[in-house]
Amino acid sequence: MSILSTNLYGSSVNKGMGGLMSGLDTDDLVNQMTAATRNKINKQYQAKQKLLYKQEAYREISSKLLAFNNKYFSYSSGSKTNILSPKFFESYTYKSSSDYVSVTGNADVISNFKINSITSVAKAATYTTNSVSSQSFSSDAIIGNISEDVLLSSSITFDFNGVKKAIALSEMVDGKPDGSPYTYDAEGLADFLNTKLAEVYGAGRVNAELDASQTSIMFSASGSTDVFSVSNISNDLSILTGIKSGDSNRLKVSKTIGDIYGEVTDCSIIINGKSIDGISKDMSISEVLKKINKESDVDITYSNTTDKFVIVSKDTGKASKIEITGALADKLFGGSIGTDIEITGEDTVMNVTIHGQDIDITRSTANFSIDGINIELSKNAILAPEEDPITFDVINNTDEVIERVKQFIDDYNEIIDLLGTKTKEKPRRDYPPLTPEQQDEMKEKEIENWLKEAKKGVLFGDKNITSLLNKMRASMSGMTSVSDLALSNIGISAASMDTSGKLVFNEEKFREKLIEAPDQIASLFTGIADETDEYAKSGIANQILDILRENIGAMGTSGKLIEEAGLDTGRSSDQNNISLKIKDYDEKMKELKKSLERERQRYWNQFSALEQSLNKLNAQSSWLMDMMGGY
């Protein structure tokens, strides 16, 4: 008996007395008498094997899709191999003589194009406020003495520029380093904390000193960019002093307008002529900023380091501006902005040579197009007229693009061929999974050939794989909403009389269209449709990406195929629908194996009893014969 048979049915070692007296083949008889139970186990085993075949087929497809996804849709693989990147379709690349200027577009125009000067690069209107908080925080008034019980059980943890230090107030009870005692009141606490802060952070960097009333302690930092706060404080000490965890020398944007500025009746704020409605004193500063950024044409951020608001127009160019008024602006920013001094952006101003002519260009953005040339300028792209012009070397990459697209079509065809084969291949009913007993009687090559036939057709008509196949074929056959082109216009189409969905790549036709309209080809694959139009279709590559995500997942999701069958490795290997069903079969076979073991033992006990009875009869017969022979 093979290991597989032993594992499935249990050991066939004799469980009792063999047929020494009866001459019966007890082991064979027990096997015959337990055949019904073994057949039940075999059925469960064969059903499990069919699921394993199906899981294997699913995983073959999932692995193929994952490899396809990683090759063509992963930015980690490089922009030139990612079909969603415009660089995938760049038939020409352009080497700029400046690190701060890049171009794409019409190769013929770019080859004779140069930039003679860049006076300015477009930028947004920007304004930075003065510091918006007092850059300090203080305790409540501390009246009277502080008990030793509070001091002995209390501590406070400060955070200075990210460095946290805990100070235990029990040291106050022990007295000053010079041996003199601290006083247990506001003055004594301020003196103690100031001494300890100097020890842990350095003298003069942070301060704890009494205010003018001599009852409250004021905490501050000496540097204008130093952030100083309380990260933790004992409850009794917090109640006594009014100091809370989170108190800081910076504006606390999580607090409400009312908490920070007291009773506020006017929360008006007007940005570039538009009133931001719906702001109330119960909203936190961060909520107000979020609302402003969403509803206005500026973005406002608060810098915890500088204690200032930075306001940037969403548009660039000289026409962009910042003007903020209203009662809330007075509280938040210390007054109106852009009313006394005009705050505007800046245009791009440059001189170029194009089509043999020198012309001045003024644009409101740093990225723009002129006569088929797409220009991108970094903020450092300033060029004085007396400096050498910026020129561009044109490098022909047409063959590389053709090879990339050809390989993409070949890999796509492999997937279509695999899906088509799996869903159309009919199962071999005459080749069910072999039982362990059947395998024991066959040679290794016979088992291998049988297994090959038994695995055929496990995904015949499978709804998940059929749906995947239909969607893949549809993505490469229909029109999109982002381009007037279709694949047939650029030399990619189905072969004559071929209904499989596989495509043929006409290299010469594609080359002609690539030279003529590279941007249109890129849009056909990479364009994104208007999300507000439910009938709009994105580019082919984006459609395929959606199909891949639906079936194999992305960004932490698993996808339909992975949920159904998992992968060979990783968490999904045993956490999938098929694996759960397989576990059910394993449990059923485990119970049947126990039942088989009990049956075997019962029959062996019966045969052992028979042998014992025959042995007694034989002994009695011998005795009688001996007695009769004595006369």
Side-chain angles (χ1 to χ4, degrees):
M1 181 179 286
S2 67
I3 295 175
L4 179 59
S5 294
T6 301
N7 288 339
L8 193 62
Y9 308 125
S11 175
S12 61
V13 176
N14 291 352
K15 306 293 183 180
M17 185 180 296
L20 295 175
M21 298 302 298
S22 65
L24 299 173
D25 186 344
T26 308
D27 196 45
D28 183 60
L29 287 170
V30 170
N31 276 340
Q32 292 180 43
M33 296 171 76
T34 57
T37 302
R38 282 203 316 281
N39 285 337
K40 291 179 181 179
I41 294 177
N42 286 337
K43 288 181 180 179
Q44 298 296 319
Y45 174 80
Q46 289 176 310
K48 172 188 171 180
Q49 290 305 113
K50 287 181 180 179
L51 279 178
L52 286 169
Y53 299 160
K54 183 176 182 180
Q55 186 176 59
E56 181 183 336
Y58 257 89
R59 289 181 176 183
E60 181 185 358
I61 292 171
S62 294
S63 296
K64 194 79 172 177
L65 294 178
L66 280 170
F68 186 74
N69 179 77
N70 293 338
K71 184 174 181 178
Y72 294 108
F73 296 92
S74 171
Y75 278 96
S76 63
S77 64
S79 59
K80 284 191 175 181
T81 58
N82 187 323
I83 199 169
L84 292 177
S85 169
K87 290 185 179 296
F88 188 95
F89 299 97
E90 281 186 353
S91 53
Y92 294 92
T93 56
Y94 310 96
K95 182 175 176 56
S96 173
S97 62
S98 169
D99 293 335
Y100 307 117
V101 181
S102 62
V103 297
T104 59
N106 189 297
D108 292 334
V109 180
I110 291 174
S111 62
N112 296 300
F113 173 72
K114 63 180 179 179
I115 300 174
N116 303 312
S117 67
I118 304 175
T119 305
S120 59
V121 178
K123 60 183 180 181
T126 304
Y127 180 78
T128 302
T129 68
N130 294 322
S131 296
V132 293
S133 72
S134 64
Q135 297 200 353
S136 64
F137 62 96
S138 65
S139 71
D140 293 341
I142 302 172
I143 308 298
N145 291 333
I146 306 172
S147 72
E148 282 194 9
D149 288 342
V150 171
L151 296 177
L152 289 170
S153 62
S154 296
S155 66
I156 182 170
T157 302
F158 292 98
D159 186 327
F160 178 62
N161 294 333
V163 178
K164 295 181 180 179
K165 296 291 184 180
I167 297 174
L169 269 64
S170 59
E171 295 183 40
M172 280 187 69
V173 180
D174 298 333
K176 296 182 180 179
D178 61 7
S180 60
Y182 285 104
T183 55
Y184 300 162
D185 57 15
E187 180 181 6
L189 181 58
D191 186 17
F192 170 74
L193 292 176
N194 208 42
T195 300
K196 298 304 292 182
L197 288 170
E199 288 180 13
V200 296
Y201 292 125
R205 301 189 71 186
V206 287
N207 303 295
E209 51 194 8
L210 291 177
D211 67 357
S213 71
Q214 300 295 297
T215 58
S216 295
I217 304 172
M218 184 76 67
F219 297 90
S220 61
S222 58
S224 61
T225 60
D226 290 333
V227 181
F228 183 43
S229 65
V230 175
S231 65
N232 193 30
I233 185 171
S234 299
N235 187 57
D236 288 344
L237 186 62
S238 179
I239 294 172
L240 176 71
T241 63
I243 301 170
K244 302 180 185 64
S245 178
D247 283 352
S248 172
N249 67 337
R250 291 294 186 265
L251 180 67
K252 195 169 184 180
V253 295
S254 61
K255 284 189 173 183
T256 66
I257 295 172
D259 287 338
I260 296 174
Y261 303 111
E263 190 62 33
V264 178
T265 57
D266 187 351
C267 291
S268 63
I269 187 164
I270 302 162
I271 300 177
N272 291 335
K274 179 183 178 181
S275 176
I276 309 300
D277 299 326
I279 298 176
S280 71
K281 67 181 182 65
D282 297 323
M283 294 175 66
S284 68
I285 300 296
S286 61
E287 289 173 331
V288 172
L289 296 182
K290 184 177 180 180
K291 185 175 181 64
I292 289 173
N293 294 344
K294 182 179 180 181
E295 298 182 12
S296 76
D297 55 4
V298 302
D299 283 320
I300 304 179
T301 56
Y302 172 71
S303 170
N304 202 48
T305 302
T306 63
D307 190 35
K308 298 176 181 180
F309 285 107
V310 179
I311 307 167
V312 181
S313 171
K314 291 177 181 176
D315 296 322
T316 58
K318 199 167 185 178
S320 67
K321 65 176 183 177
I322 296 174
E323 185 177 285
I324 304 177
T325 58
L328 187 57
D330 292 342
K331 293 185 179 297
L332 280 177
F333 311 126
S336 298
I337 298 172
T339 53
D340 297 328
I341 301 174
E342 187 179 25
I343 302 169
T344 60
E346 195 167 356
D347 285 333
T348 294
V349 178
M350 60 193 297
N351 180 272
V352 304
T353 298
I354 187 169
H355 305 305
Q357 298 183 23
D358 290 353
I359 58 173
D360 292 324
I361 301 291
T362 301
R363 295 290 187 273
S364 61
T365 63
N367 303 327
F368 54 91
S369 299
I370 54 173
D371 290 357
I373 303 176
N374 307 311
I375 302 172
E376 293 185 17
L377 306 175
S378 79
K379 63 181 181 179
N380 297 317
I382 302 298
L383 179 68
E386 62 271 15
E387 296 182 59
D388 292 336
I390 298 172
T391 56
F392 308 91
D393 292 332
V394 180
I395 303 168
N396 190 331
N397 297 321
T398 303
D399 290 341
E400 292 181 21
V401 175
I402 290 173
E403 185 56 35
R404 285 196 290 269
V405 175
K406 180 177 181 297
Q407 187 60 57
F408 175 80
I409 297 300
D410 287 345
D411 291 342
Y412 167 83
N413 283 340
E414 282 188 18
I415 291 174
I416 295 300
D417 185 55
L418 176 63
L419 299 178
T421 299
K422 293 295 186 184
T423 55
K424 293 176 182 176
E425 183 180 61
K426 293 185 178 180
R428 296 294 305 271
R429 307 295 183 192
D430 49 339
Y431 281 87
L434 292 170
T435 67
E437 291 174 319
Q438 290 171 328
Q439 292 183 52
D440 289 343
E441 298 173 358
M442 297 172 69
K443 295 179 180 178
E444 185 175 338
K445 190 63 179 178
E446 291 175 326
I447 295 173
E448 182 182 328
N449 292 335
W450 187 287
L451 184 61
K452 184 177 179 180
E453 295 299 317
K455 288 183 177 181
K456 287 182 178 180
V458 292
L459 295 182
F460 177 68
D462 184 272
K463 64 178 183 179
N464 287 332
I465 307 304
T466 300
S467 173
L468 168 60
L469 175 60
N470 291 337
K471 288 180 179 179
M472 289 287 283
R473 292 171 59 180
S475 69
M476 297 289 275
S477 60
M479 296 293 292
T480 70
S481 303
V482 293
S483 175
D484 294 330
L485 296 176
L487 286 179
S488 58
N489 302 135
I490 61 174
I492 302 173
S493 59
S496 177
M497 306 299 292
D498 186 352
T499 59
S500 68
K502 293 195 291 184
L503 301 172
V504 175
F505 183 60
N506 185 323
E507 182 176 322
E508 290 307 313
K509 187 173 181 179
F510 183 84
R511 184 186 297 273
E512 291 175 7
K513 203 65 180 180
L514 182 65
I515 294 172
E516 175 189 333
D519 291 344
Q520 291 184 44
I521 291 178
S523 294
L524 173 62
F525 282 88
T526 67
I528 299 176
D530 182 1
E531 293 182 356
T532 61
D533 184 354
E534 62 178 310
Y535 299 106
K537 279 189 171 184
S538 292
I540 290 167
N542 277 300
Q543 290 184 47
I544 292 178
L545 179 60
D546 288 342
I547 296 168
L548 292 174
R549 287 175 172 172
E550 178 186 1
N551 286 277
I552 58 174
M555 304 294 288
T557 61
S558 56
K560 290 195 297 187
L561 302 192
I562 310 299
E563 289 175 358
E564 182 64 17
L567 294 169
D568 290 332
T569 58
R571 181 178 60 85
S572 68
S573 62
D574 61 355
Q575 296 183 29
N576 56 79
N577 295 336
I578 290 180
S579 288
L580 291 176
K581 293 176 183 177
I582 288 172
K583 288 178 182 177
D584 287 341
Y585 281 115
D586 284 336
E587 288 299 317
K588 291 175 183 176
M589 285 188 285
K590 184 178 178 181
E591 292 303 314
L592 285 169
K593 182 179 177 181
K594 291 179 181 178
S595 178
L596 178 61
E597 183 69 20
R598 290 192 295 269
E599 283 186 53
R600 280 176 172 166
Q601 190 62 60
R602 185 172 71 252
Y603 289 133
W604 270 103
N605 290 342
Q606 292 173 357
F607 279 113
S608 293
L610 173 63
E611 293 296 326
Q612 290 172 358
S613 297
L614 289 174
N615 189 42
K616 288 180 180 179
L617 286 173
N618 188 51
Q620 290 174 354
S621 176
S622 296
W623 181 80
L624 287 172
M625 291 296 292
D626 288 343
M627 291 296 292
M628 291 174 66
Y631 290 100

